[in-house]
Amino acid sequence: MPDSALDLCIALCRNARDLDGAAQLQALSELENLLRIAKASVRTSQEQAAPSAAAVEPAIEMDLTGYVTGWNAGAEQLFGYTREEAIGQHVLFLYADDDNEIAELFLEHGTSLMEVRRRKKSGEIFWASLALSLRHDEAGNPDGMVARMSEIKERLSPEDKLRLHARIIEDSDQGILITDADERIVSVNTAFTRITGYSAAEAIGKTPDLLRSGRHNADFRAEVRSAMLGSGPWQGEIFGKRKNGEIFPQSVSISVVRDDQGRITHAFSIFSDISVFKEAEARIQQMANYDSLTGLPNRTLLSQLVGQALTAARRSSKHGALMVIDLDRFTAIHDTLGYDIAEELLREISRRFRAALRDEDVLARIDGGKFAVALLDIQKREHAGIVARKLRAALDAPFANESHELHIAAHIGISVFPEDGLDSASLLRFADAAMTKARQNSDVSYVFYSSEMNERAKEHLRIETELRRALANGQMLLHYQPKVSLRSGRIVGAEALIRWRHPERGMVPPGLFIPVAEETGLILEIGSWVLEEACRQIREWTQRAFKAPPIAVNLSSRQFDRGLPQRVQEVLERYDVTPDRIKLEITETLLVRGPEQVIPIMNELAAMGLALALDDFGTGYSSLAYLKKFPISTLKIDRSFVIGLPREENDCAIAQAIVTMGQQLRQEIVAEGVETLEQMTFLRNLGCDQLQGYLFSPPISNDAFEQMVREGKRLPLG
Ligand code: C2E
Ligand code: MG
Ligand code: MG
């Protein structure tokens, strides 16, 4: 089209030269028309070629009467009408309001800027800034208008603002109350009515005293009131009263509104009902301080209460007692009869205990089947004993439920303050130690804490400290106890047993320190030292051309972790000892951890060529079913079964069973602690392979052992 129009123009111009005046004028006006079409066409194609619609400023062209003649991509995007829909319509179709400000249509000249409300195709009304300019033809006469506009996103009219604010106030979740300068309520919102129960009609005209709870003193009220009178914003928690008389906690903020002269015209308070939070807070308190099952105070609250009583006792030289009550067999009941019965039992016991005590005595549940009682004011130590007997008697009657009649016993430990201690943690610990003592002695049901109980704990601590020093100072050594074959009578091995040469106390037997080391974890260091020392000794013997029989080393179950095979491997390599020179003795306590944990480690050790012996067999958790799965080459019958041989029928039967089973599993059987010839003969006849015991030799030093083997000492087999 533009091309053909321009061609026409060129042809017209060429012909016009030859035309006369009137015809020339005619041609000129035709030419003008054609150029107009061409120009419009060029503009349209420019607009269509715009890089992106978003970048185009909305522009609307109109003729002088307001009919749309041009509609660009920006206008289409802003209003949502296509070009086809818009062109030819009167611009009023875009107006938001009926009161048309058509002033823009009567523009005389120049450009006018204004803010107007318009409506999109979607119905959405928006504010736009509008620049309206006139368009002129070549002769300078106005021939149309162009409106360029952009949407004003943040603009709100004063009415809209008011409407919006009113909505926000009305819809707020928080109660809002507005008072005038005379402190009369002038406005409230729906939340106010919901929270307080007063309708707007009931509240308006009253003072905020309407909600007064009577819970606050005059000073506090004055503070709140002065905030309402303009002393500044105020925020806090106060109690209010609902229409139905119910008191409720509220979180409030109060501010004032001033006019241009700074005079207060209104005050408003925004408040929320925080009773739910207060309830939650109370519940959390309850959970933190009380046992959920029995509703009794828990250990935390007990400690707190005893702590307070101790402070008071120091001032008034009062005495008190703390008791720990441990129910017998509670775990067994729990495990065999189940949760429900165990829980009901605990509730019933707490009821009985509570009934046996005075109101001022504190009864707490501090652990599974453990209760504690604090007597915060007693005259004499013995009074605590009386209470303990009462508590014990409270359990006398059996506990019956649908299917069972249970008899529950308990052991009670008592500590007294201020004599035994001055802080609740120590008192509780001491009462607990006394309870353990009571449990060990089935004849008594309660025991007072005594300082000896603490002595044992202190002794443990002392051993631990000394043990660390002993390891560092070379006070540890190994003795070797030979194992002899019951077929040949020859020495076929030895067990390495640790000794502690204490600078003051002489030789300390392992029974005194190994259990402490197990408890504290020091056994890991001790165990590494033992393995290392045994390997060092083997190498030393080898270097002196003494081929020692395999040496068995005891392993604590605490050493038995995934890293063990690697650690053993390193030590063997360091001392150039082959695995057949070492045996590892493990005990059944290891199996408590579950076979799936220990079997892989055992297999790894066995694969390295190390023989495993099961020590103290028959005393622990021996499960014959597991025994088959373990890569164990030796069973050591515990000394406790050997002692009774051959007179104790039971011991004979057990020894017999162990030997038979070992033979079936092709395991070597070693009898420990053989002291007499009779024991030896009996074991030999059973088919036992080896013996270890004082009959042949006690544990002896490395030198003595070397000499014994070199001399070829033999067990006389008769
Ligand atoms: P165990 O491994 O069962 O060691 C055998 C214990 O029986 C040794 O006691 C030994 O002296 C004792 N015994 C041997 N023959 C007789 C006898 O004919 N009559 C009597 N009455 N006793 C006999 P010891 O050396 O006091 O060791 C006690 C326990 O200490 C050991 O029992 C073992 O469990 C532990 N233990 C010893 N050394 C170590 C060690 O290096 N590491 C670990 N983890 N534990 C060790
Ligand atoms: Mg052993
Ligand atoms: Mg043993």
Side-chain angles (χ1 to χ4, degrees):
M1 174 74 174
D3 264 348
S4 52
L6 288 171
D7 288 342
L8 264 173
C9 291
I10 294 163
L12 258 176
C13 290
R14 229 180 252 141
N15 297 339
R17 280 188 228 127
D18 308 319
L19 294 175
D20 60 14
Q24 244 178 4
L25 273 180
Q26 174 68 31
L28 265 177
S29 96
E30 269 183 50
L31 184 63
E32 189 187 347
N33 272 334
L34 283 167
L35 283 170
R36 260 184 216 289
I37 294 167
K39 192 177 162 196
S41 175
V42 167
R43 207 168 48 222
T44 312
S45 65
Q46 274 170 352
E47 278 169 11
Q48 279 166 355
S52 89
V56 178
E57 183 190 28
I60 304 166
E61 289 173 38
M62 293 158 274
D63 65 16
L64 288 173
T65 55
Y67 284 96
V68 176
T69 54
W71 186 260
N72 73 354
E76 175 167 344
Q77 201 183 31
L78 179 61
F79 285 95
Y81 294 104
T82 62
R83 208 177 135 74
E84 286 72 37
E85 288 172 312
I87 288 191
Q89 296 234 45
H90 193 274
V91 74
L92 283 173
F93 88 111
L94 301 173
Y95 281 39
D97 305 304
D98 296 331
D99 53 337
N100 309 320
E101 358 81 59
I102 319 204
E104 58 199 83
L105 296 183
F106 305 108
L107 262 181
E108 287 297 325
H109 46 71
T111 303
S112 149
L113 266 174
M114 61 195 98
E115 285 180 7
V116 294
R117 275 156 56 83
R118 292 289 178 265
R119 190 193 306 274
K120 298 183 182 180
K121 187 179 180 184
S122 65
E124 185 195 333
I125 291 173
F126 66 100
W127 280 93
S129 78
L130 175 79
L132 189 68
S133 44
L134 278 176
R135 240 183 32 209
H136 301 270
D137 60 13
E138 271 88 340
N141 298 318
D143 70 345
M145 294 182 286
V146 183
R148 299 183 187 279
M149 53 176 66
S150 59
E151 189 171 1
I152 305 170
K153 291 264 163 49
E154 61 281 24
R155 171 64 189 260
L156 273 183
S157 72
E159 309 88 71
D160 280 350
K161 213 184 266 175
L162 271 180
R163 230 175 286 149
L164 185 65
H165 291 183
R167 264 254 77 79
I168 291 172
I169 290 179
E170 197 46 32
D171 292 351
S172 168
D173 239 11
Q174 299 187 296
I176 295 175
L177 162 161
I178 303 175
T179 52
D180 61 12
D182 298 328
E183 291 180 67
R184 297 276 157 196
I185 299 174
V186 292
S187 177
V188 297
N189 68 350
T190 327
F192 172 95
T193 303
R194 180 169 43 76
I195 297 171
T196 65
Y198 291 108
S199 68
E202 286 167 326
I204 287 174
K206 308 271 173 28
T207 70
D209 274 352
L210 185 68
L211 306 175
R212 205 163 108 181
S213 68
R215 286 263 185 117
H216 301 286
N217 61 27
D219 285 352
F220 185 82
R221 285 206 309 277
E223 194 185 318
V224 176
R225 193 152 170 267
S226 83
M228 299 203 84
L229 294 177
S231 71
W234 185 89
Q235 214 160 10
E237 284 183 13
I238 61 177
F239 284 103
K241 191 159 101 180
R242 301 191 220 270
K243 188 178 172 186
N244 64 10
E246 193 187 344
I247 307 286
F248 69 101
Q250 47 172 313
S251 156
V252 187
S253 70
I254 297 170
S255 315
V256 294
V257 183
R258 293 171 196 273
D259 64 12
D260 295 342
Q261 278 81 49
R263 283 183 306 245
I264 293 168
T265 60
H266 296 92
F268 61 95
S269 67
I270 304 179
F271 62 94
S272 39
D273 180 349
I274 53 169
S275 35
V276 277
F277 300 113
K278 287 282 167 195
E279 279 160 24
E281 212 175 285
R283 260 205 309 279
I284 291 167
Q285 272 291 331
Q286 173 82 17
M287 267 160 30
N289 287 315
Y290 291 88
D291 166 39
S292 59
L293 180 66
T294 58
L296 295 176
N298 61 11
R299 188 188 282 269
T300 316
L301 183 56
L302 174 81
S303 301
Q304 223 170 301
L305 293 172
V306 172
Q308 285 163 10
L310 282 165
T311 318
R314 240 168 288 176
R315 268 187 264 115
S316 58
S317 64
K318 276 189 183 168
H319 297 257
L322 195 60
M323 311 189 190
V324 167
I325 308 150
D326 189 38
L327 303 178
D328 270 11
R329 298 191 303 137
F330 180 72
T331 321
I333 291 170
H334 186 278
D335 292 350
T336 51
L337 302 181
Y339 263 119
D340 294 349
I341 292 185
E343 288 188 351
E344 187 40 47
L345 188 67
L346 283 173
R347 277 192 283 263
E348 175 60 19
I349 290 173
S350 63
R351 280 192 286 271
R352 291 197 195 173
F353 281 167
R354 194 60 267 180
L357 293 164
R358 294 190 190 159
D359 285 350
E360 60 269 29
D361 303 334
V362 180
L363 171 66
R365 178 170 170 243
I366 55 175
D367 203 2
K370 246 188 211 178
F371 290 83
V373 170
L375 308 173
L376 301 177
D377 184 11
I378 53 169
Q379 257 91 56
K380 281 201 258 170
R381 199 177 153 82
E382 287 65 39
H383 290 173
I386 297 172
V387 176
R389 280 199 293 275
K390 274 211 287 186
L391 292 171
R392 188 66 192 66
L395 301 177
D396 282 348
F399 293 84
N401 63 20
E402 304 119 36
S403 49
H404 302 273
E405 196 167 82
L406 295 167
H407 293 267
I408 302 286
H411 290 104
I412 302 176
I414 307 169
S415 63
V416 178
F417 59 84
E419 292 85 343
D420 293 338
L422 278 172
D423 67 288
S424 55
S426 314
L427 286 168
L428 206 56
R429 205 173 61 242
F430 294 158
D432 210 60
M435 184 277 294
T436 309
K437 187 77 193 247
R439 208 170 34 197
Q440 284 157 3
N441 186 346
S442 52
D443 298 338
V444 300
S445 52
Y446 68 92
V447 165
F448 278 95
Y449 168 77
S450 75
S451 49
E452 301 118 60
M453 293 173 195
N454 209 22
E455 283 311 308
R456 210 177 325 115
K458 282 193 195 143
E459 166 89 356
H460 269 206
L461 206 68
R462 189 170 49 79
I463 292 178
E464 192 196 339
T465 325
E466 288 190 352
L467 258 182
R468 287 186 195 280
R469 215 174 304 143
L471 269 173
N473 296 351
Q475 294 171 17
M476 295 295 178
L477 65 154
L478 291 184
H479 274 184
Y480 298 85
Q481 185 174 35
K483 290 188 223 174
V484 286
S485 160
L486 280 168
R487 268 180 284 279
S488 66
R490 285 174 195 279
I491 298 174
V492 289
E495 177 175 7
L497 293 157
I498 194 166
R499 296 292 177 263
W500 179 5
R501 198 162 30 205
H502 193 280
E504 289 119 42
R505 287 187 280 157
M507 282 293 190
V508 183
L512 279 187
F513 64 88
I514 292 288
V516 180
E518 298 251 9
E519 236 172 71
T520 60
L522 209 56
I523 193 70
L524 297 178
E525 280 176 55
I526 294 181
S528 310
W529 180 85
V530 171
L531 181 66
E532 183 121 6
E533 172 60 13
C535 289
R536 194 202 56 76
Q537 184 64 68
I538 293 168
R539 184 181 63 181
E540 192 193 301
W541 279 330
T542 314
Q543 284 165 349
R544 286 212 305 269
F546 168 56
K547 188 165 194 290
I551 303 294
V553 171
N554 291 284
L555 283 187
S556 152
S557 54
R558 291 191 65 159
Q559 288 172 266
F560 217 84
D561 57 32
R562 299 215 143 269
L564 179 69
Q566 173 71 25
R567 293 198 302 271
V568 175
Q569 181 73 44
E570 279 166 15
V571 178
L572 291 178
E573 281 169 12
R574 191 162 339 128
Y575 293 96
D576 201 15
V577 171
T578 50
D580 61 323
R581 303 286 85 206
I582 289 282
K583 280 187 180 226
L584 300 175
E585 290 194 7
I586 55 178
T587 59
E588 290 164 305
T589 48
L590 193 67
L591 310 184
V592 194
R593 261 192 269 156
E596 54 304 320
Q597 286 230 18
V598 288
I599 290 180
I601 305 172
M602 286 184 177
N603 284 337
E604 215 176 312
L605 292 166
M608 283 163 59
L610 287 154
L612 297 179
L614 196 55
D615 203 355
D616 305 343
F617 189 71
T619 56
Y621 305 82
S622 338
S623 158
L624 303 184
Y626 288 154
L627 203 57
K628 274 193 238 168
K629 298 187 190 161
F630 296 144
I632 282 177
S633 58
T634 307
L635 282 186
K636 296 185 80 177
I637 306 178
D638 191 65
R639 195 170 76 88
S640 55
F641 303 112
V642 174
I643 293 172
L645 302 180
R647 271 171 285 274
E648 287 282 336
E649 233 174 90
N650 266 350
D651 290 354
C652 294
I654 291 169
Q656 166 89 67
I658 295 176
V659 173
T660 313
M661 190 180 60
Q663 282 169 341
Q664 272 169 15
L665 295 174
R666 296 189 200 294
Q667 282 159 342
E668 188 181 61
I669 315 290
V670 180
E672 293 185 300
V674 181
E675 297 184 357
T676 68
L677 276 170
E678 278 175 302
Q679 288 167 344
M680 181 206 67
T681 314
F682 184 87
L683 287 160
R684 192 171 158 222
N685 292 338
L686 276 185
C688 188
D689 300 294
Q690 293 166 21
L691 72 75
Q692 179 184 341
Y694 293 172
L695 175 68
F696 183 74
S697 167
I700 48 179
S701 72
N702 54 340
D703 290 340
F705 178 68
E706 182 183 344
Q707 200 182 344
M708 192 182 273
V709 179
R710 281 192 195 271
E711 283 170 0
K713 180 176 172 183
R714 278 206 205 190
L715 178 71
L717 292 170

